[in-house]
Amino acid sequence: MSKKNNYLGPLFIIGVIFFVMGFITWVNGTLITFFKKAFSLDNTSSYLVTFAFFISYTIMAIPCSYVVKKTGFKNGMSLALLVMAAGTLIFIPAAEMASYPVFLVGLFTIGIGLTVLQTASNPYATLLGPRESAAQRISVMGIANKGAGIISQIIIGKLLLAGASSTDPKEELDKVVVPYLILTGVLVVLAVVIRLSKGLVEVSEEEEETSATGQLSTQKTSVFQYPNLVLGVLALFCYVGVEVIAADTIINYGVSLGIPENEARVFGAYTLGGMMFGYVLGIVLIPKFVSQQAYMIFSSVLGFAVTVAAIFTTGFTSVMCIAVLGFANAVIWPALWPLALSGLGKFTKIASALLVMGISGGAVLPLVYGGIADSIGSTQKAYWVMVPLYFFILYFGLVGHKKKSW
């Protein structure tokens, strides 16, 4: 009992970290709409917000894994929060200069900090407690992450998108100064708290277990000889793409349909609410009633069906179809990782870094969506880009993860 209680303090702190990650990550949907209006951007240019933010995962995933190995989990998390604070602080001069590129630099810097934080906090949550309940802990952290996203969409959305808009871009951009100064202060305080915390103990990674499947790794010389991993990275790329498109385009989409900005600003919260519901349902159903693989197959089919429904319906109904994608997407992430890493043995660490690089789907695919929307003049028909992505996730769930050789 006392050992279990020893986990509660550290897990609470990790929960706060996941909350902060969610608050900062899921405000991007609001920023896309805000910057599009303030700088008079087209769709493609506005989605540089997600590109700058998520491309850092690809560039920094492997370097960040070395940083965490050098600093340890605890110091790595503290360092990551300070890097994120530097990124949020860049928003202040960006607003003063009325410079969209400088805002993008700030977002890229925040992304670097988040990459370190993901690299440190995910395995920490996994290792801090019994292995058999690790998935449960990650799901609870996911709920904290998406719950924070809902709160950030409501609070930051109200500050940036509600009320009358100024005709002066500089005056409009000044709206970000106070909330991002507060965010900077919170991040610095949290970094210091974690650095000085005696409750957040350092944990050691256990040696990889040798199993019948793990022994196969000794017969292979490259991580790329594992089809389930390579296809898993591609599936994760597709998954993060549809996740970010569903969450970060929905406000813009609502506005494009003629829904007032003051109403549309909360639409992203609906998508994240769907994700939270999906997490809770996953905790209840998996693995007692349904396997992770079966749930992932169901999710990809539902994602395809709801995307098509969004394209062929109109108005608020179509918007709500995009919100339902949050529910469809929720369990794909936790289900995909174990299938992609199955049998990797000694290659598990580098394979995990490659999977983190797959998060770049959140950088590239929203840009593709924006480009299609601009070229065909329809934000609604641009959602066709998600259909082949869900098909590939379905292929991985049915066939791809079972491939053991090329």
Side-chain angles (χ1 to χ4, degrees):
M1 180 64 73
S2 61
K3 190 171 183 181
K4 183 179 179 181
N5 289 338
N6 288 340
Y7 296 138
L8 294 181
L11 281 174
F12 175 78
I13 296 173
I14 298 298
V16 171
I17 289 173
F18 271 80
F19 185 92
V20 169
M21 286 196 290
F23 193 96
I24 291 176
T25 298
W26 297 111
V27 78
N28 285 342
T30 301
L31 291 178
I32 288 165
T33 304
F34 177 71
F35 288 143
K36 185 180 182 186
K37 179 179 60 176
F39 291 110
S40 301
L41 304 171
D42 59 16
N43 287 298
T44 309
S45 300
S46 69
Y47 291 116
L48 285 172
V49 167
T50 54
F51 182 83
F53 190 86
F54 286 104
I55 200 65
S56 55
Y57 281 90
T58 296
I59 296 170
M60 299 304 296
I62 293 175
C64 286
S65 66
Y66 287 115
V67 169
V68 172
K69 193 171 183 180
K70 201 80 176 168
T71 61
F73 289 121
K74 179 178 168 181
N75 291 338
M77 285 184 269
S78 181
L79 173 65
L81 288 161
L82 291 175
V83 173
M84 289 168 65
T88 53
L89 194 60
I90 289 172
F91 271 49
I92 313 309
E96 294 301 312
M97 297 161 62
S99 171
Y100 187 47
V102 177
F103 276 114
L104 295 178
V105 170
L107 286 162
F108 180 78
T109 306
I110 293 170
I112 292 173
L114 273 167
T115 308
V116 180
L117 203 55
Q118 290 268 21
T119 307
S121 59
N122 276 298
Y124 191 94
T126 301
L127 294 167
L128 199 66
R131 181 182 292 272
E132 58 271 17
S133 60
Q136 228 174 9
R137 291 192 295 278
I138 292 293
S139 293
V140 171
M141 298 304 157
I143 291 169
N145 183 277
K146 300 308 180 289
I150 292 170
I151 293 169
S152 74
Q153 296 254 343
I154 293 169
I155 294 176
I156 305 297
K158 188 164 182 60
L159 291 171
L160 301 187
L161 300 180
S165 300
S166 171
T167 53
D168 178 10
K170 172 69 177 62
E171 195 174 315
E172 188 74 6
L173 291 167
D174 282 343
K175 291 179 180 178
V176 306
V177 172
V178 172
Y180 273 81
L181 271 175
I182 293 171
L183 268 178
T184 302
V186 170
L187 290 167
V188 170
V189 168
L190 191 56
V192 172
V193 167
I194 285 174
R195 180 69 184 87
L196 300 178
S197 171
K198 294 195 178 355
L200 201 62
V201 295
E202 194 62 54
V203 294
S204 319
E205 290 190 72
E206 298 170 7
E207 290 297 314
E208 308 292 354
E209 293 181 9
T210 305
S211 63
T213 53
Q215 287 171 355
L216 290 173
S217 66
T218 61
Q219 300 163 14
K220 296 185 179 181
T221 56
S222 167
V223 71
F224 297 107
Q225 292 175 306
Y226 293 87
N228 61 306
L229 172 70
V230 177
L231 295 172
V233 172
L234 290 174
L236 193 86
F237 179 89
C238 294
Y239 160 69
V240 179
V242 294
E243 180 190 54
V244 174
I245 289 172
D248 286 356
T249 69
I250 191 170
I251 299 175
N252 254 354
Y253 178 50
V255 172
S256 76
L257 294 179
I259 296 170
E261 199 176 74
N262 192 41
E263 294 177 33
R265 65 183 174 83
V266 298
F267 288 169
Y270 296 162
T271 309
L272 296 174
M275 292 195 79
M276 281 187 67
F277 180 64
Y279 273 121
V280 172
L281 203 60
I283 291 172
V284 172
L285 297 179
I286 301 170
K288 189 174 181 181
F289 299 103
V290 64
S291 70
Q292 288 190 97
Q293 178 195 348
Y295 204 138
M296 186 169 76
I297 292 167
F298 162 76
S299 295
S300 55
V301 171
L302 179 63
F304 161 77
V306 174
T307 300
V308 173
I311 295 166
F312 287 103
T313 52
T314 57
F316 189 71
T317 302
S318 181
V319 172
M320 286 302 96
C321 287
I322 300 300
V324 172
L325 288 176
F327 171 72
N329 293 337
V331 181
I332 296 176
W333 171 278
L336 199 153
W337 275 74
L339 296 177
L341 293 176
S342 176
L344 267 290
K346 65 181 181 181
F347 293 110
T348 298
K349 288 187 178 65
I350 185 65
S352 297
L354 290 174
L355 282 167
V356 169
M357 291 172 74
I359 292 174
S360 61
V364 175
L365 294 171
L367 263 188
V368 174
Y369 165 87
I372 293 171
D374 285 333
S375 65
I376 66 175
S378 172
T379 53
Q380 184 173 27
K381 288 188 173 63
Y383 283 120
W384 277 113
V385 73
M386 293 201 287
V387 169
L389 302 178
Y390 279 116
F391 269 128
F392 189 83
I393 297 166
L394 177 61
Y395 160 76
F396 181 74
L398 287 170
V399 179
H401 76 278
K402 297 176 183 175
K403 289 177 70 70
K404 298 303 177 189
S405 66
W406 295 109

